[in-house]
Every structure is written in C-alpha cells, then in structure tokens.
Amino acid sequence: MGFTIGGIREMRTGSRRRVRTSECTAVAEYTGLWGWDVVPGARASSGRCSCGDGDCTAPGAHPLSFAEPVPAGAALEDATKAWSAYPGAALMLPVGRAFDVIEVAEAAGRRALVRLERMGLPLGPVCATPTGRAQFFVAPGAAAELPRLLYRMGWDDAELDLHGLGPGRYITAPPSDRGGLGPVRWLRPPTLDTAGAPPQARLLLGTLAYICHRTHR
C-alpha cells in the first residue's frame, strides 16, 4: 500500500531522520518542560489511517491503541527511546489531566485571543487545527463545568460554536499533521508559566462566548 505509521515509504532516509529527530525533540519538550503526557497517534494519507483499520472513523486523528504513552517528566533520552518504537507517529496529548480544552472556530478564536491579550487576562497555550478550530488550554475540570458556567453567564440558550473537551479526549499537538489535512499550529505557544498552570475557564469564557455569538450572527 506504501503507507505506514512512519509515513510514506518513498521518503528519503535523510528527511526521515530529520523528521524523527524533530518529533523526539518535541516529545521531550512536552514531557520534560511542559509536564504533559504524550501519546503516539495515527497518521492518515489519502483517507487511509495508519492504524490499519479499513473502517477507521477518525483516520489520522486518534491514539494508536497498541502504543504506550510517554509520561510527563521524560527527558530527551527517554523520549527518544520510547518514540523510536513508533517512528512517524503523530504527537497526541490526553485532555483532562494537565488541562482541559475549550474549542471554538479558528476565526472566533483569533479575535477572542486579541481581545483577551488586550484585557491582560491570564492565558494558556492556544493551538489551531487544519480543520479550522482554535483550542484554548484551560484548567482541568472545565469541560464538566461548562454548562453551569454558560448558564451563570446567561449564554446557555445561545447558539454557540463553543465546546469543552475533557477526560477521555485527545488533541493532536504541533507540529504533527491531523487527519492528513495539514499540521496543527500554535497561536500562543506554551511557556513555563502557562503550561503547568492554565487559566480557569471562567476567566476566558465570557469573551469567548461573546465573540462566538457575534461571529455566528
């Protein structure tokens, strides 16, 4: 078939080595610096998923069921050793442990990010997916609290393209490709201050809901 977990077999050896080195460095950064677990994920090409399931419902957008996660705290040497078993795998982060995610349309997310920065509110990492979504990292527990928070802010009856991702969900981390559609990118990269202590959802939610409502109209 020509497609494997490692990507396209025709890739040049030098290019493959550079990609693997970059992946291992990113894994070590996420685990060692930011304190996040990283899970090897599937990749997709021409609609086919590297997991090998011809009926896969999320090609290139899910963890590999047979792969062991690289735990938070792993150093470069440990990450390189662990990731060598899954060359070319996508970097995926489990949600609900170090952070939850509030996801909105990318256009709304970019506008909200500018406003939140001007307001001087605390912000965590924010990434953008090739499917046009912006993902705001917030403190764990946000997904479960979201309906209550929206109700208290008066947004419970509004049609908002705003969703919480919590325990049991995974997001693709930069610079990995998601679903064969392109790479995930940082709109606001993690820092030592924000990665381990993302903001409470209530601090961002009012602005995010307002921008989503305005964008939807």
Side-chain angles (χ1 to χ4, degrees):
M1 171 167 69
F3 181 67
T4 66
I5 293 173
I8 304 299
R9 286 196 180 122
E10 289 76 17
M11 287 176 65
R12 293 178 301 173
T13 302
S15 298
R16 186 162 57 241
R17 285 201 190 103
R18 286 193 293 273
V19 170
R20 290 179 182 177
T21 300
S22 175
E23 289 169 349
C24 291
T25 301
V27 172
E29 180 179 303
Y30 290 159
T31 59
L33 281 180
W34 313 138
W36 300 334
D37 295 341
V38 182
V39 182
R43 295 238 183 179
S45 178
S46 301
R48 294 180 179 272
C49 187
S50 62
C51 69
D53 183 355
D55 297 322
C56 180
T57 57
H62 65 86
L64 294 169
S65 60
F66 50 81
E68 292 292 327
V70 184
L76 177 58
E77 183 179 352
D78 299 324
T80 300
K81 182 178 180 180
W83 213 255
S84 65
Y86 313 104
L91 281 67
M92 303 203 76
L93 306 177
V95 183
R97 299 178 188 178
F99 58 85
D100 276 11
V101 167
I102 295 179
E103 184 181 271
V104 299
E106 183 178 346
R110 287 181 178 273
R111 291 174 190 152
L113 186 56
V114 171
R115 177 168 294 198
L116 289 165
E117 288 175 337
R118 287 176 179 170
M119 295 168 65
L121 291 173
L123 288 167
V126 184
C127 60
T129 76
T131 55
R133 308 298 291 174
Q135 298 174 327
F136 288 72
F137 289 35
V138 291
E145 294 180 0
L146 199 57
R148 179 180 64 85
L149 290 173
L150 289 172
Y151 174 78
R152 290 180 60 184
M153 293 179 180
W155 290 106
D156 56 311
D157 291 330
E159 292 185 20
L160 300 177
D161 183 8
L162 184 155
H163 309 282
L165 307 180
R169 302 292 296 272
Y170 294 82
I171 62 169
T172 304
S176 288
D177 176 278
R178 183 170 179 84
L181 301 174
V184 179
R185 314 176 313 282
W186 287 118
L187 297 180
R188 184 181 176 90
T191 67
L192 290 175
D193 293 332
T194 63
Q200 295 295 321
R202 59 182 174 78
L203 299 176
L204 316 182
L205 193 55
T207 299
L208 285 170
Y210 174 76
I211 297 295
C212 287
H213 179 65
R214 289 294 301 269
T215 303
H216 179 73
R217 291 173 61 184

